[in-house]
């Protein structure tokens, strides 16, 4: 899946990708 | 580190030398947030260990629409905890040669 990107006005890039499966807390 | 419900982890291996390191942040427990967590994904970003301040990055995330203003504090703290751990480990380990 293509990761979405948001670039903040100050120039920092935030790349959004799926949460690592193994790390999801078991409910 | 105290469990804030917001998780921050290394997004790359830390060789102990580079000043900028990639981190990944995601919400494990949305109920802990006051505002709605817009995305539900993990947010990857680079953080300069020497120059940058965790709370400033948290504010940028709020301004970028990831979090509500009222959650900037919890996000900033989560980043601060992870950065402190990285620095703590670096002081205790000899960096591996590239």
């Amino acid at each position: 899946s293509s990761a979405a990107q948001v670039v903040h006005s100050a120039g920092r890039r935030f790349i959004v990708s799926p949460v690592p499966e193994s790390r999801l807390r078991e409910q | 580190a105290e469990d804030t419900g917001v998780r921050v982890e290394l997004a790359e291996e830390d060789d102990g030398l580079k000043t900028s390191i990639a981190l990944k942040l995601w919400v494990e427990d949305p109920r802990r947030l006051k505002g709605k967590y817009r995305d539900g994904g993990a947010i990857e970003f680079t953080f300069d260990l020497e120059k940058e301040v965790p709370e400033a990055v948290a504010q940028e995330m709020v301004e970028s629409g990831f979090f509500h203003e009222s959650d900037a504090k919890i996000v900033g703290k989560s980043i601060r905890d992870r950065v402190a751990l990285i620095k703590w480990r670096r002081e205790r380990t000899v960096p591996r040669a590239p």
Side-chain angles (χ1 to χ4, degrees), chain A residues 12, chain B residues 19-21 46-53 83 87:
Chain A
R12 187 187 316 274
Chain B
T19 53
S20 274
I21 188 109
T46 50
F47 183 85
D48 185 317
L49 292 165
E50 284 167 6
K51 294 191 210 110
E52 293 191 302
V53 175
V83 166
K87 290 181 177 177

Side-chain angles (χ1 to χ4, degrees), chain B residues 16-31:
Chain B
L17 299 170
K18 45 190 150 196
T19 53
S20 274
I21 188 109
L23 298 175
K24 199 170 250 193
L25 176 146
W26 67 90
V27 178
E28 275 193 328
D29 189 356
R31 292 164 302 185

Side-chain angles (χ1 to χ4, degrees), chain A residues 4-27:
Chain A
Q5 286 193 45
V6 174
V7 180
H8 182 264
S9 50
R12 187 187 316 274
R13 183 183 309 275
F14 294 111
I15 301 166
V16 182
S17 55
V19 172
E21 271 317 306
S22 60
R23 305 298 177 78
L24 274 180
R25 192 180 288 185
E26 296 73 29
Q27 247 63 37

